[in-house]
Amino acid sequence: SYTKPLTIHFRSIDIVDLIKKILCHVEMQKNKEITFQLRSDCDKIYLFADNHLLFCAFSNILINACHAIENAGIISVRIYKK
């Protein structure tokens, strides 16, 4: 719930692993012929962030992408280290 003061728990997160988990989560919820593609330049990319907040944000983006597809399509996610 976002009505309470938000406590952010920063820690080192492997964003590649997190996105894989999110894609699995969204994959189970979809009811259309949608294929997910994940491309990453590295096996692991670490960043300092709140795992729960990133999970919620990226889940929301991918669920919205699924809703924007009428019947079938491809959602491609690319992760790269700059």
Side-chain angles (χ1 to χ4, degrees):
S1 173
Y2 295 108
T3 58
K4 299 177 185 175
L6 184 63
T7 303
I8 300 174
H9 301 283
F10 287 100
R11 65 182 182 98
S12 182
I13 296 170
D14 176 7
I15 192 68
V16 177
D17 184 56
L18 180 65
I19 296 295
K20 286 179 182 177
K21 289 177 184 173
I22 293 168
L23 289 174
C24 287
H25 174 74
V26 174
E27 177 85 30
M28 291 187 298
Q29 295 181 12
K30 71 179 176 105
N31 58 358
K32 302 174 186 175
E33 291 297 318
I34 298 173
T35 302
F36 293 100
Q37 296 177 341
L38 174 62
R39 292 182 293 152
S40 177
D41 294 344
C42 304
D43 290 335
K44 296 182 179 291
I45 299 174
Y46 289 95
L47 54 97
F48 201 61
D50 184 296
N51 187 68
H52 175 71
L53 293 178
L54 279 182
F55 187 94
C56 291
F58 284 118
S59 292
N60 210 3
I61 291 167
L62 290 168
I63 289 168
N64 288 343
C66 289
H67 290 165
I69 294 173
E70 285 192 33
N71 297 314
I74 298 171
I75 296 174
S76 181
V77 179
R78 181 169 179 235
I79 305 169
Y80 60 93
K81 190 172 183 177
K82 192 171 184 180

